[in-house]
Amino acid sequence: MAEGPGDPAGDRDVEVRQLRRLFRIFGATQCRDRSPVYEALSEGVADDDGLLDLLMSTPRDQRRPSLLFAAVNLLLASDPGSALAGYYPVRGGRRPVDDRLMPAFAAFCAEHRDELGRLLRTGSTQTNEIRRCVALRLGLDHVRRRWPGPLALVEAGASAGLNLLVDRYRYRVGGQEASAAGASPVLITCEVRGGSPHERILGPVPEITSRRGIDRHPVDLADPGARAWLEAFVWPERLDDLAVLRGAIDLAVSSATVTVAPGDATTDTARLIGELPGREPVVVFTASLLSYLDFDARAAFAAQLRQAAARRPVAWVFAEAPGLVATTDGLIVPEGSLARRNSRYLIGASLRGSGHRDDALLALADPYLRWLAPARHRTDDFAWLPTDADTG
Ligand SMILES: C[S@@+](CC[C@H](N)C(=O)[O-])C[C@H]1O[C@@H](n2cnc3c(N)ncnc32)[C@H](O)[C@@H]1O
């Protein structure tokens, strides 16, 4: 009998095809110009039936390129002499991508199949991109100009909570450097396109009275295994990112001022804000959270912000895909192409207090905040920013 939709084997074929496509898209959109190793491996995995079989044996929502690559990267730490490690600068490798990379990857996965399978079944995708503090600083500056004085800081979807240490890092933005933290060991760099918002990003950071995060799967930095897992999400060539991440982790552990509670942003944000001491305004930061939330969950998160703002001024500062911002809580995103530029992040702020609401778009940026283009006015559609910048 022919296989077709509804047949288990037919469904499986469809899922395998989707998986191949997912890896090819990941390679072409996420890795091109950023990671030659992952770009080549994404194509290689898409063509490797054995690896696709391994992925098919894991729950559907665990079949993600970033998870496979992080799991392999983690295992490489205990096998630094392997041929594969030779291609990973973060594991001490120096070999350029060549046609032996994919065979080395497939052989490594076969050799570590059981452990890899376990990581793929149980691991959660866990990243903490500290460069996004540049977006937070832009947002804090916007809030500071409207609500001068101390602020409480909350991050929803905080991961390890490293963005909550926004005022403890050094910054070099558009070639200019500023430090709110004296001799911070952590330097965050960001290029500026089409403007010079240095004073807005590198200006004074308001006094932060408390720092609290909430996450469905908080990373416990005191656990060496959790720390190694977080580090494994750094891409093979990004030695600079690894150094920044490690510096920020050390700072967080030694300062012990950051707490990230387990919880769901769509149900627990208002309660968390309600528990904060004081009456000063609260800045709620989200970065790369909305992509985890469907339409209803985004509406629920917005309702949490409204509920909290009924009791105390709340400013939502975000760095999120424009199309998701446009479909969350009626936020101002100009009609037109901006809402489709979802390979970029829109940075903005929405201030709510005493029945008033004040929304502004502040910048369009690379999702990893390697560059940022400041808005020319509060409802800028960024049509002036050439789309070729979208490839960089
Ligand atoms: C891509 S990470 C971004 C982490 C951090 N905001 C950053 O920019 O580096 C997204 C985080 O959101 C968390 N998350 C996803 N859905 C959530 C929810 N409904 N409530 C709380 N956290 C959530 C994930 O566990 C993950 O740590």
Side-chain angles (χ1 to χ4, degrees):
M1 193 173 79
E3 291 168 358
D7 298 328
D11 288 350
R12 188 181 190 284
D13 285 350
V14 171
E15 286 184 25
V16 170
R17 265 205 305 279
Q18 286 170 342
L19 205 48
R20 285 189 207 283
R21 199 170 120 73
L22 180 68
F23 272 87
R24 288 198 211 288
I25 291 173
F26 184 78
T29 61
Q30 306 280 313
C31 308
R32 188 151 302 157
D33 301 327
R34 294 193 182 118
S35 171
V37 171
Y38 281 176
E39 187 181 358
L41 290 179
S42 298
E43 274 296 316
V45 174
D47 289 333
D48 189 306
D49 292 340
L51 282 169
L52 293 173
D53 266 353
L54 174 66
L55 288 163
M56 287 298 291
S57 69
T58 68
R60 192 176 286 124
D61 62 359
Q62 294 286 97
R63 299 173 199 157
R64 285 191 297 262
S66 56
L67 192 56
L68 171 68
F69 292 146
V72 170
N73 190 7
L74 181 76
L75 294 173
L76 279 173
S78 46
D79 198 353
S82 65
L84 183 62
Y87 291 93
Y88 280 57
V90 290
R91 300 291 173 211
R94 302 167 62 113
R95 190 175 169 138
V97 169
D98 58 21
D99 56 9
R100 290 162 69 183
L101 167 62
M102 187 55 209
F105 185 83
F108 185 88
C109 292
E111 197 181 324
H112 298 270
R113 193 174 173 94
D114 291 348
E115 187 59 358
L116 188 55
R118 188 188 65 74
L119 288 169
L120 291 176
R121 279 190 301 280
T122 58
S124 67
T125 305
Q126 238 0 308
T127 56
N128 206 172
E129 183 49 70
I130 302 117
R131 271 205 190 84
R132 293 189 184 128
C133 282
V134 174
L136 177 54
R137 279 197 68 162
L138 191 57
L140 286 174
D141 182 78
H142 180 82
V143 176
R144 175 181 72 85
R145 289 168 194 265
R146 279 143 193 87
W147 294 341
L151 300 168
L153 180 59
V154 165
E155 184 176 4
S159 184
L162 299 175
N163 291 334
L164 294 166
L165 292 174
V166 57
D167 53 345
R168 306 285 167 85
Y169 305 137
R170 279 187 300 137
Y171 292 81
R172 187 181 303 136
V173 177
Q176 293 196 32
E177 200 165 314
S179 169
S184 173
V186 179
L187 175 65
I188 294 176
T189 57
C190 177
E191 182 197 326
V192 176
R193 294 186 176 172
S196 66
H198 307 107
E199 72 287 355
R200 287 198 269 146
I201 299 174
L202 299 177
V205 181
E207 180 195 343
I208 297 174
T209 53
S210 53
R211 310 160 197 260
R212 298 282 301 276
I214 184 170
D215 198 284
R216 250 186 349 204
H217 304 287
V219 178
D220 176 7
L221 293 176
D223 172 0
R227 181 178 168 146
W229 182 239
L230 188 64
E231 291 182 6
F233 281 86
V234 175
W235 291 16
E237 300 85 352
R238 306 300 319 193
L239 287 165
D240 52 346
D241 288 358
L242 187 60
V244 167
L245 178 63
R246 286 182 172 161
I249 291 173
D250 288 344
L251 208 56
V253 171
S254 63
S255 69
T257 50
V258 164
T259 49
V260 182
D264 193 312
T266 64
T267 52
D268 300 322
T269 303
R271 181 184 47 75
L272 180 77
I273 294 172
E275 288 168 3
L276 294 174
R279 300 168 62 88
E280 62 279 18
V282 182
V283 170
V284 178
F285 181 51
T286 73
S288 208
L289 170 71
L290 296 186
S291 56
Y292 288 75
L293 309 183
D294 63 18
F295 183 83
D296 290 343
R298 295 202 296 282
F301 174 63
Q304 291 281 309
L305 295 176
R306 280 197 299 276
Q307 191 182 327
R311 293 194 294 263
R312 178 173 181 166
V314 170
W316 176 26
V317 171
F318 55 82
E320 304 281 357
L324 297 177
V325 173
T327 51
T328 302
D329 206 22
L331 274 172
I332 39 140
V333 176
E335 286 189 11
S337 61
L338 178 59
R340 291 192 298 279
R341 290 174 89 169
N342 286 318
S343 61
R344 296 297 161 233
Y345 275 7
L346 193 55
I347 299 167
S350 174
L351 279 61
R352 298 117 190 264
S354 316
H356 292 296
R357 178 165 153 177
D358 171 16
D359 294 353
L361 304 183
L362 304 176
L364 194 66
D366 158 60
Y368 305 99
L369 265 292
R370 297 210 171 91
W371 61 261
L372 157 152
R376 295 183 173 169
H377 55 86
R378 57 195 294 118
T379 54
D380 197 347
D381 65 1
F382 296 93
W384 55 268
L385 183 68
T387 45
D388 64 357
D390 282 5
T391 61

